[in-house]
Amino acid sequence: MSPLFGLGWLILLLAVINIEAQKKPAINISSKCLGNIMRVDVGPLGGNLLEVAVVFNNSAIPLTPSLASQHGFSMKTDKLGNAMIYVSLLNSFAQNLEDKAFTTTLNLRLYGNRMGEDELYQVSETCQYAAWASREIICDRNYMEVSVKRAAPDDYALPEYPVNGANSKFGDPRRAAEKQPMDTGFRITTLVFFTPEERMMTVSEAQRQGYRIGNTPSRLVLRSPKITPETYTQMVAGVPMTVLTTSTIFDKKWLATQIDIAASCPVLEGSVALTPNTITWYLPQHIDPLISSSQFKLLEVHMGIDGQRLDAVEMAARQYAVTVNDVHIIVEIPIGAVGGYSKSHVQDDQYFTSYTIEPMLELLWTEDTNHEDTRYKVLFPITTPLLPQPPQVVDNTLPEEQIFKVKIGPYASDVTLVNITFPSEVLSVGDCNVRGFNVQEHKSHNSSFKVITLQVPFTDRVVLPMRRGGITAYSLHLTFGLLVLPEFAPFSLTTYLEAELVDIVPPQVSGYCDQANFYVLVQYGTQGFNFQTTVGKQQMTSGLAQQYGFMENGTHFSFAVPFTAPDVVFEAVEASVIRTRLDVVLRNPETNKRLKQFSMACNFLSPLTECFPNGTMTALAVKLESVASLNPSRLTLRDPTCGPSYSDDRYAYFVFTGRSCGTTRKFLPSMMIYENEISLPDEFEASRMKTEEPEYELKVACYYDINTTHAVSFHTRPRRSEPYAENAKGELQVAMRLALDDSYSAFHDAVEVPIVKYLQQPLHFEVELMRSTNPKVSLELQNCWATLNKDRTSQPRWNLIINGCVNPVDPYQVVFHPVWSDARVQYPSHFKRFEVQMFAFAEDQENLSSQLFVHCDVVVCDATNPLGGICNGQCSNAKNRIKGQRRAVSDQSFKHVSTGPIFIT
Ligand SMILES: *[C@@H]1O[C@H](CO)[C@@H](O)[C@H](O)[C@H]1NC(C)=O
Ligand SMILES: *[C@@H]1O[C@H](CO)[C@@H](O)[C@H](O)[C@H]1NC(C)=O
Ligand SMILES: *[C@@H]1O[C@H](CO)[C@@H](O)[C@H](O)[C@H]1NC(C)=O
Ligand SMILES: *[C@@H]1O[C@H](CO)[C@@H](O)[C@H](O)[C@H]1NC(C)=O
Ligand SMILES: *[C@@H]1O[C@H](CO)[C@@H](O)[C@H](O)[C@H]1NC(C)=O
Ligand SMILES: *[C@@H]1O[C@H](CO)[C@@H](O)[C@H](O)[C@H]1NC(C)=O
Ligand SMILES: *[C@@H]1O[C@H](CO)[C@@H](O)[C@H](O)[C@H]1NC(C)=O
Ligand SMILES: *[C@@H]1O[C@H](CO)[C@@H](O)[C@H](O)[C@H]1NC(C)=O
């Protein structure tokens, strides 16, 4: 028994027991028949180790490297942990059915995983293969195999070699030195190696050296490790090849015959040329050691990967190329192409890759001289040396999008991005995605490389903006932290991105007014004239542009709007001045977003009231922005039957005389004042309360110089009338005194000035209608106020009584005291008394010991005919107060009194 079988038996006991525990595979196991070989794929192993044993005659024989090469097996594992076991159909342990069907059974043992449990699987595959050429040569990774159609007698045997059936016919031995017929009983006795010197070995000696010689029903098989003392290297067409040349001697009694067998396989070094992008493999077309005549025909050339042929479509898709010239068969493979794999390496923070691929060439040729064909199959694993992969950063940023878009790579698939370091912080890939940086890996469809993309918005805080002269430069410093798995070898890539954006300057609007018009100038921004203009409430149409004298010169446009135009709003009316405003809005026509909003307010002089010497008065009421819902046509003068003689939605124009429409008169020493008011009449006033129509009140007044009977001025004030009377003179005299206390029995003497009071000391005032004996007349206080100096119209001014009522905002409110008859007071209705606490004007905090003057407007009412308003009694009804003023004062006397100074200590 040979040493091989000794080992086999030893293993047998162990193996058979384990097979009992056979389970459904937890990993993928598949097998394929690939012509004269088969392939078993196992994996991914996931950290397990794989032991392969071949099952032969119910025993499992573990395949050591030397057994594998001797008997027709090889194995490789890729970096993903997938194992591929290549098996020659003519392996020593196959069950061979007439050289047409070959069954090989393997036991696979997975061990060394973390679970500590071995897993045992059995895989058995039967491959049909009958298209044997006269000679078939296989160059596997660890052996050379040659088989030839046998003409040797069928009864010779090698003791150890399994022979299933013995039906071989005699045929011409391949390259037989002597073509003599052989009959039964021939035995292989001797092997002669030509190294090139002759070296003879017995069969058993050769097998001890790792060779295998044996026969099948129709073929003689010789297998040799790639490198043995008997192989030698020969240059063939510039390609180094390992050559084995033998003669096998068959003996039968005194007869002998021999078959010459040669094998030749290419050596990696010297066969392959590398450029940075391509692997080029040269195989001699005419492999001299295998071809005796120069007349031969190459019938077929096939290329494949991992033992499996590829069709032309697949080759093109993977960008492989095979060309045949006079001398070589040339295979070109792009580095990184599908079919191989790249492995990453890190040295000094530099990134390298190596690329591994196992192309196959399968040739079929025939020789003219003997018409015998040879099938020649080379499995040719190639791994490139470390190729530097300089960092490639592709900046795909389009500044208008305001996002940095960067692509890095290519990296092999064993590289993973761990984190990105920005000057201010380090973010993991997860953090980046949460932050919206959209980190993505992109696998290539035709290569084993991938790229990584990242997007960082300009608005993120890791981006630094810098303004300079109308341009904003955005910059981004980043360092990618990368890792090669499974070694956990870190490396990094630092890069800097910059993008510039021209700042967007919005259009500018400016303007001014003259006596009649608003003038508007619009300067285009960086985006040019691509906005819509709204003037007031209207969009600038070509019609409006024409109306407003629109002019444009490529960088600016201008237009003029008369202050009376409907696009102008009235903000306020003061005397004969109308305060108006023009709004101009520029919008982006697509988004309707406001680019610019511009408002300009101007005062225009306009005679709102005209007074003619013949007593005719005219008044123009304008609708103010604050009472936008007012309908001017409803306005009337005091007499509600006096409506406007002309009105539209913005104006009401009134014509009236001093004797009509409720106009009242006041006499001053040299002047006559006619007054009227424009407002909504009562019926509308009532509905106004419901409809929320705005309150509107415009006071109209004309001053006539009595001396000349010419109109000298006009005056309008909206909403509130102010007293205009001068110091009281004439028949009715009114006096104001300051009492010493609230008994109102003793008074400061009018000559006893200055009167000095402490702050917050009460001041007791009394106002008396003098020299009147008419008990039906009453005196009412309309307005009382304090000033700092003697001029009653001076500022500052503090109101004590307004329209007969205490000033509601006064912190020390006026207290009215009733007046009773006594020795001094004959007619209480001719008196009014009130109390106020001494105060100082806040405007003069530096100097609190300043003086005060107190002034009052008084009204003398006819008690028999109280027409309402103030004459109804001091602060009798706030609502009537306003109305009464309008209606009922024509024959009342307005008087004015003052007292002071009162000094504060
Ligand atoms: C087996 O292979 C298939 C496809 O190739 C894959 O989807 C599956 O995950 C693999 N199973 C195991 C256990 O690896
Ligand atoms: C196969 O094993 C049996 C015993 O199990 C043995 O008798 C037989 O000789 C073996 N065959 C070969 C070819 O080794
Ligand atoms: C992959 O295909 C692209 C075109 O689709 C080509 O530009 C590139 O060179 C190919 N890469 C490889 C490795 O074949
Ligand atoms: C970033 O990832 C790299 C791996 O490439 C690692 O070495 C480094 O420590 C990480 N930095 C931080 C701050 O986590
Ligand atoms: C356009 O008009 C503006 C304002 O009048 C002026 O400043 C500017 O120089 C003009 N531009 C051209 C090109 O005439
Ligand atoms: C008063 O004078 C004005 C202006 O002169 C005139 O328009 C108006 O008709 C006159 N009114 C009367 C009643 O004469
Ligand atoms: C009107 O006459 C009075 C008294 O005669 C006089 O004081 C006053 O100055 C005159 N006014 C004008 C405006 O002439
Ligand atoms: C206080 O005001 C009075 C009157 O206005 C003035 O005469 C006096 O000089 C002022 N004193 C101070 C300290 O300002």
Side-chain angles (χ1 to χ4, degrees):
M1 185 167 290
S2 73
L4 163 67
F5 277 81
L7 184 61
W9 283 114
L10 265 178
I11 299 298
L12 175 70
L13 297 172
L14 182 75
V16 168
I17 293 162
N18 281 348
I19 284 171
E20 304 289 316
Q22 189 173 320
K23 294 185 245 168
K24 187 173 163 51
I27 58 167
N28 284 337
I29 298 174
S30 64
S31 52
K32 278 194 182 73
C33 300
L34 303 168
N36 54 8
I37 62 172
M38 64 176 247
R39 197 181 85 200
V40 178
D41 295 350
V42 185
L45 300 179
N48 285 291
L49 297 176
L50 174 65
E51 183 187 84
V52 182
V54 61
V55 178
F56 175 59
N57 195 19
N58 284 336
S59 63
I61 303 161
L63 290 171
T64 61
S66 60
L67 278 184
S69 62
Q70 189 171 24
H71 295 288
F73 299 86
S74 73
M75 186 169 97
K76 69 168 181 176
T77 311
D78 70 16
K79 62 144 190 194
L80 301 173
N82 293 301
M84 286 184 178
I85 304 160
Y86 292 88
V87 181
S88 167
L89 295 192
L90 296 180
N91 74 77
S92 309
F93 307 109
Q95 267 181 279
N96 180 337
L97 185 64
E98 296 182 353
D99 277 342
K100 285 184 179 129
F102 305 84
T103 304
T104 306
T105 303
L106 298 178
N107 277 356
L108 309 175
R109 187 168 75 93
L110 287 172
Y111 66 100
N113 65 354
R114 288 193 200 92
M115 310 299 284
E117 245 179 73
D118 288 6
E119 291 172 29
L120 223 153
Y121 307 108
Q122 190 168 75
V123 55
S124 184
E125 177 71 71
T126 301
C127 292
Q128 314 282 340
Y129 185 71
W132 293 100
S134 307
R135 174 171 58 164
E136 303 227 342
I137 296 168
I138 298 174
C139 297
D140 203 339
R141 41 182 56 225
N142 55 350
Y143 64 84
M144 306 188 276
E145 179 188 276
V146 52
S147 74
V148 295
K149 203 187 265 175
R150 177 164 56 77
D154 61 357
D155 63 344
Y156 80 78
L158 294 163
E160 318 87 322
Y161 196 85
V163 176
N164 297 306
N167 61 346
S168 300
K169 296 275 175 287
F170 280 23
D172 289 341
R174 171 83 195 93
R175 301 185 71 194
E178 298 167 39
K179 298 205 173 173
Q180 43 191 290
M182 290 190 283
D183 52 26
T184 56
F186 282 89
R187 298 179 69 84
I188 301 174
T189 54
T190 317
L191 280 164
V192 184
F193 294 92
F194 304 94
T195 67
E197 299 83 35
E198 261 184 45
R199 190 179 295 175
M200 305 242 301
M201 278 186 215
T202 64
V203 169
S204 54
E205 194 180 345
Q207 301 208 141
R208 276 198 301 278
Q209 299 297 319
Y211 295 103
R212 176 73 202 182
I213 177 92
N215 57 13
T216 70
S218 61
R219 300 184 75 82
L220 178 66
V221 184
L222 174 70
R223 201 175 295 109
S224 158
K226 273 271 176 71
I227 309 289
T228 66
E230 289 75 32
T231 58
Y232 58 94
T233 302
Q234 180 182 335
M235 295 300 282
V236 182
V239 175
M241 300 199 65
T242 301
V243 184
L244 178 73
T245 313
T246 63
S247 277
T248 307
I249 315 280
F250 297 82
D251 281 354
K252 183 189 178 186
K253 294 189 181 151
W254 54 87
L255 281 173
T257 185
Q258 79 179 65
I259 300 179
D260 294 345
I261 305 181
S264 179
C265 290
V267 175
L268 180 63
E269 263 160 57
S271 292
V272 170
L274 281 179
T275 67
N277 300 316
T278 313
I279 296 170
T280 310
W281 168 31
Y282 297 89
L283 183 71
Q285 193 201 128
H286 190 278
I287 303 171
D288 297 338
L290 303 177
I291 300 173
S292 52
S293 66
S294 60
Q295 294 296 307
F296 92 114
K297 218 180 275 148
L298 191 58
L299 300 176
E300 292 175 18
V301 176
H302 302 282
M303 188 202 163
I305 293 291
D306 295 330
Q308 184 162 12
R309 281 190 199 173
L310 296 175
D311 61 24
V313 173
E314 186 63 34
M315 299 243 308
R318 298 181 178 197
Q319 301 191 308
Y320 302 157
V322 177
T323 50
V324 180
N325 67 18
D326 289 346
V327 184
H328 293 115
I329 295 153
I330 301 159
V331 173
E332 283 174 298
I333 298 172
I335 289 177
V338 170
Y341 62 86
S342 295
K343 175 82 199 83
S344 299
H345 307 264
V346 175
Q347 287 179 0
D348 302 330
D349 206 33
Q350 301 294 303
Y351 180 65
F352 296 85
T353 56
S354 60
Y355 177 69
T356 300
I357 191 164
E358 184 167 345
M360 173 189 81
L361 269 178
E362 198 178 329
L363 315 179
L364 183 70
W365 71 72
T366 179
E367 284 178 67
D368 289 353
T369 43
N370 51 18
H371 302 291
E372 283 182 351
D373 51 354
T374 299
R375 188 179 310 280
Y376 183 79
K377 179 183 276 190
V378 193
L379 305 176
F380 204 63
I382 300 170
T383 295
T384 66
L386 295 194
L387 306 167
Q389 300 287 346
Q392 283 188 37
V393 178
V394 181
D395 183 354
N396 290 323
T397 306
L398 296 174
E400 315 82 78
E401 296 180 345
Q402 311 215 7
I403 298 176
F404 278 115
K405 289 186 174 174
V406 64
K407 181 170 91 175
I408 58 166
Y411 294 112
S413 54
D414 56 357
V415 168
T416 185
L417 176 63
V418 178
N419 58 33
I420 302 177
T421 303
F422 300 97
S424 54
E425 56 197 314
V426 181
L427 297 180
S428 71
V429 170
D431 292 343
C432 286
N433 282 328
V434 167
R435 187 88 157 253
F437 293 176
N438 195 15
V439 178
Q440 288 190 346
E441 285 193 353
H442 305 265
K443 294 209 159 50
S444 162
H445 66 99
N446 61 354
S447 92
S448 56
F449 286 105
K450 68 183 175 192
V451 296
I452 297 169
T453 59
L454 170 76
Q455 300 183 348
V456 181
F458 287 1
T459 50
D460 195 275
R461 62 173 180 267
V462 297
V463 176
L464 301 178
M466 228 178 55
R467 280 226 160 75
R468 45 178 191 235
I471 288 176
T472 303
Y474 296 89
S475 59
L476 178 62
H477 291 265
L478 11 93
T479 299
F480 295 90
L482 299 142
L483 212 50
V484 174
L485 296 174
E487 298 91 334
F488 293 96
F491 67 106
S492 64
L493 170 62
T494 295
T495 187
Y496 170 74
L497 303 172
E498 199 178 60
E500 286 188 343
L501 258 185
V502 175
D503 291 344
I504 294 177
V505 177
Q508 301 297 323
V509 187
S510 57
Y512 65 96
C513 302
D514 64 10
Q515 292 84 5
N517 293 304
F518 288 95
Y519 296 92
V520 178
L521 179 66
V522 177
Q523 180 178 8
Y524 307 161
T526 46
Q527 311 288 93
F529 184 16
N530 69 340
F531 47 83
Q532 270 173 0
T533 309
T534 307
V535 183
K537 292 193 171 59
Q538 295 194 76
Q539 197 151 312
M540 180 71 90
T541 57
S542 57
L544 196 64
Q546 201 172 8
Q547 195 181 325
Y548 289 161
F550 183 93
M551 296 207 293
E552 200 273 340
N553 72 359
T555 59
H556 296 70
F557 69 70
S558 63
F559 55 93
V561 179
F563 86 93
T564 52
D567 294 321
V568 174
V569 295
F570 300 129
E571 287 193 319
V573 174
E574 181 80 29
S576 55
V577 171
I578 306 182
R579 183 175 167 80
T580 59
R581 196 183 76 235
L582 180 66
D583 297 326
V584 176
V585 177
L586 309 180
R587 287 175 196 277
N588 180 329
E590 279 124 46
T591 63
N592 212 31
K593 233 178 74 181
R594 281 184 184 188
L595 299 171
K596 199 80 194 176
Q597 187 169 12
F598 175 78
S599 290
M600 171 166 49
C602 293
N603 290 328
F604 290 96
L605 270 174
S606 175
L608 294 176
T609 303
E610 283 188 282
C611 306
F612 298 102
N614 62 10
T616 298
M617 294 179 246
T618 64
L620 182 70
V622 298
K623 181 160 85 176
L624 299 182
E625 192 189 26
S626 56
V627 288
S629 59
L630 179 81
N631 179 351
S633 72
R634 291 179 164 188
L635 291 170
T636 68
L637 291 162
R638 278 178 184 156
D639 180 343
T641 63
C642 290
S645 36
Y646 163 81
S647 68
D648 64 13
D649 63 340
R650 308 177 74 223
Y651 301 100
Y653 183 66
F654 295 89
V655 181
F656 57 103
T657 69
R659 294 182 193 284
S660 67
C661 297
T663 308
T664 57
R665 250 184 322 177
K666 276 187 206 165
F667 292 96
L668 298 180
S670 63
M671 278 188 185
M672 203 158 48
I673 304 170
Y674 287 93
E675 287 182 315
N676 207 324
E677 282 171 21
I678 296 169
S679 67
L680 283 171
D682 282 349
E683 71 246 43
F684 290 120
E685 187 68 21
S687 72
R688 183 185 72 76
M689 308 300 275
K690 294 193 207 97
T691 61
E692 314 239 319
E693 216 176 314
E695 190 176 349
Y696 188 86
E697 204 169 78
L698 183 71
K699 179 124 182 160
V700 183
C702 279
Y703 288 15
Y704 286 86
D705 185 322
I706 293 170
N707 300 11
T708 59
T709 67
H710 279 298
V712 292
S713 67
F714 51 86
H715 195 92
T716 67
R717 268 171 200 253
R719 284 179 178 262
R720 172 150 301 163
S721 66
E722 303 284 354
Y724 303 107
E726 291 301 323
N727 279 340
K729 277 185 193 130
E731 207 175 75
L732 294 173
Q733 291 281 335
V734 181
M736 177 153 68
R737 289 185 286 270
L738 189 55
L740 296 178
D741 57 39
D742 63 357
S743 69
Y744 289 89
S745 51
F747 297 89
H748 291 282
D749 197 320
V751 266
E752 182 216 331
V753 285
I755 305 164
V756 178
K757 294 284 178 183
Y758 298 107
L759 265 182
Q760 301 195 5
Q761 188 181 1
L763 303 176
H764 296 94
F765 291 97
E766 182 184 79
V767 184
E768 184 190 358
L769 176 64
M770 313 278 282
R771 283 186 237 154
S772 173
T773 53
N774 184 350
K776 297 201 166 76
V777 171
S778 72
L779 177 141
E780 303 292 342
L781 301 175
Q782 173 130 1
N783 299 298
C784 295
W785 67 98
T787 57
L788 270 175
N789 62 48
K790 197 164 183 167
D791 179 4
R792 62 179 183 83
T793 64
S794 68
Q795 296 289 340
R797 157 185 174 135
W798 182 256
N799 287 325
L800 302 170
I801 295 170
I802 305 168
N803 274 315
C805 299
V806 301
N807 180 359
V809 302
D810 193 340
Y812 306 111
Q813 283 192 352
V814 165
V815 179
F816 288 107
H817 291 289
V819 186
W820 309 108
S821 302
D822 63 18
R824 198 174 62 80
V825 177
Q826 198 177 352
Y827 304 105
S829 65
H830 294 185
F831 289 81
K832 278 287 172 300
R833 289 175 182 165
F834 64 94
E835 176 190 327
V836 66
Q837 289 182 334
M838 187 64 194
F839 66 96
F841 280 91
E843 284 91 332
D844 201 12
Q845 269 173 347
E846 307 294 324
N847 186 354
L848 286 177
S849 71
S850 68
Q851 55 190 10
L852 271 189
F853 291 84
V854 175
H855 317 270
C856 285
D857 291 331
V858 302
V859 178
V860 179
C861 300
D862 182 351
T864 58
N865 185 22
L867 291 166
I870 199 82
C871 291
N872 278 352
Q874 202 73 47
C875 202
S876 60
N877 182 323
K879 187 77 191 164
N880 281 348
R881 186 192 82 222
I882 298 168
K883 300 295 150 198
Q885 248 186 331
R886 160 139 51 95
R887 259 187 231 123
V889 284
S890 64
D891 285 314
Q892 289 165 18
S893 298
F894 271 82
K895 298 291 172 188
H896 174 74
V897 286
S898 296
T899 188
I902 306 162
F903 288 98
I904 303 156
T905 62

